[in-house]
Amino acid sequence: MTEILVSALLLIGAALMLLAAIGIIRLPDLPTRMHATTKSGALGTALIMIAVAFYFAEVAVVTRALAVIAFIIVTAPVAAHVIGRASYFVGVPLWEGTIKDDLKTSYDPETHYLRSGFEEDVPKKPAASKKTTAAKAKPKR
Amino acid sequence: MIGFFWNILLALAWVALTGNFGGLNFTFGFALGYAVLAIAQTQLPAIRGYAQRIPRVLRFMGFFILELVKANLKVAFDILTPPWHMQPGVIAYPLSAKTEFEITMVANFISLTPGTLSLDVSNDNRVLFIHAMFLQDEKKLLAELNEVERRLLEVLR
Amino acid sequence: MSAYVINLVYLMLSVALLLGFIRLAKGPSLPDRVVALELVASIVAGMVGVHAIYTGVSSFLDVAIVLALTAFLAAIGFARFLERGGPRDD
């Protein structure tokens, strides 16, 4: 029974990783490649670790396998976000099939200030003070 | 969070008192501790609302795993078939999360769902910029993201 | 554990590793290579898990923990480096 379960988990995990690898080769630009790798890769590793936990079924092994899963699930989106942001601001080109880019219009490459488009809603905020916040925001990055 | 800590402590006390250090016995002790805390929470302000939180967390996890599988299949199908069905793009998603911690969690869970990837937060913390892979119907996508965020904030608040 | 399943899983992971290396070598820009490196790290972590099942030695899991952590740190470091460098076209 456990053998079937472990085999199924291993095969699904490996298939997800293979899918991520095919995705990173086939997809046309960086953000779409990251869609394939971060989620499928993390999920594949997590499934293989669950298989390991079921196979050994000891407290020490299960704890370590759960620790690996927790690390991967916590760190994968953070790493994806950090690399995606850095690559976008560094100027890696997007695929020509990209149909919309809201970030381009609201990002100021000089000051690194990122507008939300909702500034008008905030009452009592003259244009001059907006500039000072923009200048303050610069050293943060 | 403090309630969860107390629950673990009660479970450990149960394990130590019965002298059986097994996973099953720990689970039983955890269930007993949960029952005790559910009764005691009306008297203790520090752990109020703890008993309602665990089922909510479980429901959110179930919902999220379902979303994860669905979105993964969608992305997998597009990777494996030759013509591109995707229409990628960067959209602005207005956040209803307020504190930094909530925004971090929302951004992480949106990143974990295949097909959406959070790129950056605007400087006034009101809009999250998301790279989406399937932008055929932007309204529907925003509604789905809103659903994830609403359920997540229900758990966090 | 059935040897067929283990061999098949090893084969799939090896092909995935190979494809990751192709992107690592080819990648038009530096972030592409970083993403490929991260994928390679997570595939190797998965391989370590499979190897732990194959040999029956559970201590291999510690390698997977360290690998997952260092890959994350490397990604953060690379991103910092990229953002400090400013716009570029390679």
Side-chain angles (χ1 to χ4, degrees), chain A residues 2-3 6-8 10-11 13-18 20-22 24-27 29-30 33-34 37-38 41-42 45 48-49 51-52 55-56 58 61-62 64-65 67-68 71-72 74-76 78-80 82-83 85-87 89-92 112 140-141, chain C residues 1-2 5-6 8-9 12-13 15-17 19-20 22-23 26-29 31-36 38-39 42-43 45-50 52-54 56-62 64-65 68-69 72 75-76 78-80 82-84 86-89:
Chain A
T2 41
E3 189 159 330
V6 170
S7 308
L10 281 180
L11 285 174
L16 274 172
M17 281 187 181
L18 193 57
I22 295 172
I24 203 176
I25 287 291
R26 276 206 69 212
L27 286 165
D29 70 345
L30 184 80
R33 273 176 208 149
M34 277 166 52
T37 59
T38 51
T45 318
I48 288 182
M49 285 303 149
V52 171
Y55 180 76
F56 285 100
E58 297 162 19
V61 180
V62 172
R64 269 184 286 172
V68 176
F71 283 144
I72 288 169
V74 170
T75 57
V78 176
V82 162
I83 297 175
R85 200 183 81 162
S87 64
F89 292 147
V90 154
V92 174
H112 286 284
K140 226 176 86 181
R141 305 247 161 160
Chain C
M1 204 60 218
S2 153
V5 174
I6 293 281
L8 187 61
V9 169
M12 283 159 100
L13 289 182
V15 172
L17 207 55
L19 294 177
I22 291 175
R23 177 54 72 193
K26 213 171 89 179
S29 66
D32 283 303
R33 291 174 217 267
V34 178
V35 172
E38 219 188 336
L39 178 69
S42 69
I43 291 172
M47 265 184 149
V48 169
V50 178
I53 289 182
Y54 176 60
V57 180
S58 61
S59 310
F60 279 121
L61 277 187
D62 297 335
I65 293 181
L69 277 179
F72 171 64
I76 299 285
F78 262 120
R80 284 301 284 177
L82 280 174
E83 276 199 39
R84 285 283 166 81
R88 53 192 292 158
D89 49 343

Side-chain angles (χ1 to χ4, degrees), chain A:
Chain A
M1 184 58 212
T2 41
E3 189 159 330
I4 297 170
L5 186 67
V6 170
S7 308
L9 284 170
L10 281 180
L11 285 174
I12 298 171
L16 274 172
M17 281 187 181
L18 193 57
L19 189 75
I22 295 172
I24 203 176
I25 287 291
R26 276 206 69 212
L27 286 165
D29 70 345
L30 184 80
T32 47
R33 273 176 208 149
M34 277 166 52
H35 281 299
T37 59
T38 51
K39 287 80 155 183
S40 303
L43 206 61
T45 318
L47 285 178
I48 288 182
M49 285 303 149
I50 294 173
V52 171
F54 271 117
Y55 180 76
F56 285 100
E58 297 162 19
V59 178
V61 180
V62 172
T63 338
R64 269 184 286 172
L66 285 181
V68 176
I69 294 171
F71 283 144
I72 288 169
I73 296 291
V74 170
T75 57
V78 176
H81 155 74
V82 162
I83 297 175
R85 200 183 81 162
S87 64
Y88 188 93
F89 292 147
V90 154
V92 174
L94 296 178
W95 184 43
E96 63 264 25
T98 305
I99 58 169
K100 199 175 178 195
D101 193 351
D102 280 346
L103 191 51
K104 200 172 183 179
T105 49
S106 49
Y107 174 63
D108 183 353
E110 292 291 312
T111 57
H112 286 284
Y113 189 77
L114 195 54
R115 284 184 291 112
S116 64
F118 285 122
E119 276 88 355
E120 304 80 42
D121 300 356
V122 185
K124 281 180 284 180
K125 208 173 183 190
S129 77
K130 210 192 280 177
K131 269 215 175 111
T132 54
T133 50
K136 258 184 223 154
K138 192 183 176 186
K140 226 176 86 181
R141 305 247 161 160

Side-chain angles (χ1 to χ4, degrees), chain B residues 59-126:
Chain B
R59 215 180 311 141
F60 176 73
M61 277 167 74
F63 164 78
F64 187 73
I65 288 171
L66 200 71
E67 287 285 303
L68 202 70
V69 171
K70 263 198 298 190
N72 242 323
L73 287 179
K74 209 169 157 188
V75 173
F77 178 75
D78 203 16
I79 288 176
L80 291 178
T81 51
W84 295 125
H85 301 287
M86 63 181 190
Q87 295 185 354
V90 182
I91 55 168
Y93 170 66
L95 284 164
S96 48
K98 289 285 175 283
T99 62
E100 304 247 313
F101 176 69
E102 284 169 10
I103 292 173
T104 312
M105 293 305 282
V106 169
N108 271 1
F109 273 98
I110 285 176
S111 275
L112 269 181
T113 337
T116 50
L117 182 77
S118 49
L119 283 180
D120 207 350
V121 186
S122 71
N123 278 40
D124 54 359
N125 286 354
R126 294 179 68 178

